[in-house]
Amino acid sequence: MGAAGSKLGEFELISRYFLRGAAARADSSGVVLGIGDDAALLALPPGTELVAAVDTIVSGRHFPEMADARSIGHRALAVNLSDLAAMGATPAWATLALTLPDAQPAWLERFAAGLLDLADANGVALVGGDTTRGPLTVSVQILGHVACGTALRRNGARAGDLLAVTGTLGDAGAGLAFVGTRPASAPSAAALALIERFEYPAPRVQFGRAARGIATAAMDVSDGLAGDLPKLVRASSLAAHVAVECLPLSDAMRAAVPYALALDWAVGAGDDYELLLAVPPRRYRDLEAAAAQLNLTLTTIGELHSGSGVTWSLNGQEFQPASQGFDHFA
Amino acid sequence: MGAAGSKLGEFELISRYFLRGAAARADSSGVVLGIGDDAALLALPPGTELVAAVDTIVSGRHFPEMADARSIGHRALAVNLSDLAAMGATPAWATLALTLPDAQPAWLERFAAGLLDLADANGVALVGGDTTRGPLTVSVQILGHVACGTALRRNGARAGDLLAVTGTLGDAGAGLAFVGTRPASAPSAAALALIERFEYPAPRVQFGRAARGIATAAMDVSDGLAGDLPKLVRASSLAAHVAVECLPLSDAMRAAVPYALALDWAVGAGDDYELLLAVPPRRYRDLEAAAAQLNLTLTTIGELHSGSGVTWSLNGQEFQPASQGFDHFA
């Protein structure tokens, strides 16, 4: 311990790189006791339920081995914030379980910056951490709160509800494909925009909160629409139909790849972290207005009806998704 | 998805092996919504603070590569329960981030049994999970609660307080050493008892709760006394002296190894998950009575005084610990 260099003590590692957020917020966001004891003590606002989720990202599986540490830190928190967004919850605290092969100061600085910048932007305090040596694995547990009984669930959708998504779909999948080619050729502006969408996803936290009381069900699209929509449909005991030509595509996507490939990515690629919502037709304008206030596009992509399963069409013709979404053990 | 075998889908994997605890407790311990949505919804008892901790164990680092999956599952939760015990908190919920190379049903069954048996015994519901493919890494986040303002911290000790530990020290370290030799020779009963202490540590949850209002500070001994005591001493801005001959040794330890080695392990080895407490002399009997009610031994090992740092003696002679405790990046 003590001297800087490649050998950092565990406690010093945590306090040097990760205490920024915790220290700054110890008095302002319910943190009674932050990093440094056996556990954190946290005060939940009255009248709320605790909301908890965990998501892990693994090197070579969820991000390229050579990914920028800043992006890894950002994504590790973003995927968890997205889970809270999908519940309409307010994120408040996070703990970090970081397994890494060695403690390189430059890498840790960028990783912590990516994670803590996003934490600060979302009012999240890092209240606990654990660092161990091993293959690079980043597990974040996010904690937040929501007024009792108001959380958005997957199982509340009703027959006749419209299906809507925020933002655009497929960008992160396209971006990940371009990441692989980056060193070989100078990427276009469109490719760079797509790569940015993969490396720095924007969880829809504010919109999720605004959608409470309007949407009947919500989830985030992390494993691709074709993988995730069936989960919402099953939870609500309904069927869904999606009009693939309605899926929102970004200008960058349209500029960078052929239309058919863009649709495949929009249907099947993961990592976008947009929200998928069910909303009664008469409330659609309210949801749209909430999105507009956040400069977020909202697009109707289909509807829910009684039955089970998901059907897809493209301009009135049956459409067969190329991918069924990402499953780590399939 | 669907058929059993070596290829299990992610969602099926979670629901097949890990839903036991969550389903059984959905109505009985504040679980408003358990596994299966984007996040869990949890109801904290009124008048309590939320207590949160996270700890990761990595194959080949925190347990031998060939360790029994049942022990791995037990230990992954036990190390986290021990953190809550050290706060005097009541554990309630846990999330699991499991990274594993492949999904072998026999392994998963034993792992889940080890984790869920200990969860059930402590009233903990598993409310969230994430499984990803990669090198075996188990990260558990534990959530619990404690009446506002009553948590045991590391920084409350006062000059003149006695230092006490629960149970016996060094057993897990000795057990780990015997694990390595197990295949070569038939182990003695004493060696088996020590191995059991490594593989199935018993977190002192009930005693931690009982110690609130009596002890002035507490922490768990996870990295070895020589590594952990300086943290309590620093947090309380005090100095400590330890009489090494007072360290509690188990009968198994005395039977299995030479006395000098037993003392080294008691001073420096980790993984015991006993509690280290500071207690004013006039309250010692109360703490002892609380331990006796749980059939737990409590031993005075030294005292705290003004100053800084830790000094050690063995039968009145200065003693130099061989190890300074376990630090993953030192």
Side-chain angles (χ1 to χ4, degrees), chain B residues 223-252:
Chain B
D223 292 342
L225 188 64
D228 287 328
L229 176 54
K231 297 173 192 164
L232 188 144
V233 157
R234 248 195 320 268
S236 293
S237 302
L238 291 172
H241 180 78
V242 175
V244 172
E245 69 278 10
C246 295
L247 298 184
L249 302 178
S250 67
D251 291 343

Side-chain angles (χ1 to χ4, degrees), chain A residues 53-103:
Chain A
V54 62
D55 251 319
T56 302
I57 61 175
V58 177
S59 177
R61 185 134 194 108
H62 300 92
F63 54 87
E65 311 251 346
M66 296 310 296
D68 183 348
R70 196 166 190 288
S71 160
I72 298 171
H74 177 101
R75 292 187 74 241
L77 181 60
V79 302
N80 282 281
L81 287 174
S82 183
D83 281 328
L84 258 57
M87 306 299 288
T90 303
W93 314 292
T95 62
L96 166 69
L98 177 61
T99 305
L100 72 173
D102 46 26

Side-chain angles (χ1 to χ4, degrees), chain B residues 77-191:
Chain B
L77 182 60
V79 301
N80 281 281
L81 287 173
S82 183
D83 281 327
L84 256 58
M87 306 298 289
T90 303
W93 313 292
T95 61
L96 166 69
L98 176 61
T99 304
L100 70 174
D102 46 25
Q104 293 176 341
W107 190 95
L108 278 162
E109 241 161 63
R110 287 190 67 75
F111 175 85
L115 192 147
L116 294 178
D117 284 354
L118 186 64
D120 285 352
N122 285 276
V124 170
L126 187 68
V127 297
D130 180 35
T131 54
T132 50
R133 193 192 291 273
L136 184 57
T137 307
V138 190
S139 187
V140 168
Q141 184 200 37
I142 187 88
L143 299 170
H145 43 79
V146 64
C148 291
T150 68
L152 291 168
R153 305 180 176 200
R154 294 180 180 178
N155 66 0
R158 287 170 295 208
D161 283 354
L162 298 174
L163 271 177
V165 292
T166 58
T168 53
L169 293 180
D171 294 340
L176 180 57
F178 280 111
V179 169
T181 65
R182 185 153 52 169
S185 58
S188 66

Side-chain angles (χ1 to χ4, degrees), chain A residues 42-327:
Chain A
L42 308 165
L44 209 65
T48 62
E49 285 161 354
L50 174 64
V51 188
V54 62
D55 251 319
T56 302
I57 61 175
V58 177
S59 177
R61 185 134 194 108
H62 300 92
F63 54 87
E65 311 251 346
M66 296 310 296
D68 183 348
R70 196 166 190 288
S71 160
I72 298 171
H74 177 101
R75 292 187 74 241
L77 181 60
V79 302
N80 282 281
L81 287 174
S82 183
D83 281 328
L84 258 57
M87 306 299 288
T90 303
W93 314 292
T95 62
L96 166 69
L98 177 61
T99 305
L100 72 173
D102 46 26
Q104 294 177 339
W107 191 95
L108 279 162
E109 240 162 64
R110 288 191 65 77
F111 174 84
L115 194 149
L116 295 178
D117 284 354
L118 185 64
D120 286 351
N122 285 277
V124 170
L126 187 69
V127 297
D130 180 34
T131 54
T132 50
R133 194 192 292 269
L136 183 57
T137 306
V138 190
S139 187
V140 169
Q141 293 80 11
I142 187 89
L143 300 169
H145 43 79
V146 65
C148 290
T150 69
L152 291 168
R153 304 181 178 200
R154 293 180 180 179
N155 66 359
R158 288 171 295 208
D161 283 355
L162 298 174
L163 272 177
V165 292
T166 57
T168 54
L169 294 180
D171 294 341
L176 180 56
F178 280 111
V179 169
T181 65
R182 185 153 53 169
S185 58
S188 66
L192 283 176
L194 295 170
I195 290 172
E196 175 88 6
R197 285 268 292 165
F198 173 77
E199 292 184 335
Y200 296 95
R204 304 305 186 187
V205 174
Q206 286 180 284
F207 181 70
R209 277 149 70 179
R212 284 181 300 144
I214 306 175
T216 55
M219 71 181 297
D220 74 329
V221 185
S222 54
D223 292 343
L225 188 63
D228 286 329
L229 176 54
K231 296 173 194 164
L232 186 143
V233 158
R234 249 196 320 270
S236 292
S237 302
L238 290 172
H241 180 76
V242 175
V244 173
E245 70 276 11
C246 294
L247 299 184
L249 302 178
S250 67
D251 292 343
M253 177 77 103
R254 291 179 190 274
V257 305
Y259 183 63
L261 182 56
L263 287 185
D264 275 349
W265 269 326
V267 167
D271 297 323
D272 282 321
Y273 301 103
E274 297 294 351
L275 293 187
L276 170 68
L277 308 105
V279 57
R282 64 181 172 80
R283 301 301 308 276
Y284 192 80
R285 299 202 80 156
D286 297 331
L287 199 62
E288 210 168 32
Q293 261 201 320
L294 297 166
N295 286 317
L296 192 61
T297 61
L298 187 77
T299 307
T300 309
I301 62 167
E303 78 283 312
L304 292 153
H305 52 89
S306 59
S308 67
V310 179
T311 53
W312 308 78
S313 65
L314 178 59
N315 300 318
Q317 306 282 90
E318 199 185 323
F319 179 90
Q320 188 61 47
S323 156
Q324 291 297 325
F326 191 71
D327 189 319

Side-chain angles (χ1 to χ4, degrees), chain A residues 8 10 42 56 130 327 329, chain B residues 8 10 50 56 130 327 329:
Chain A
L8 276 177
E10 180 173 2
L42 308 165
T56 302
D130 180 34
D327 189 319
F329 289 101
Chain B
L8 275 178
E10 180 174 2
L50 174 65
T56 303
D130 180 35
D327 188 318
F329 290 100

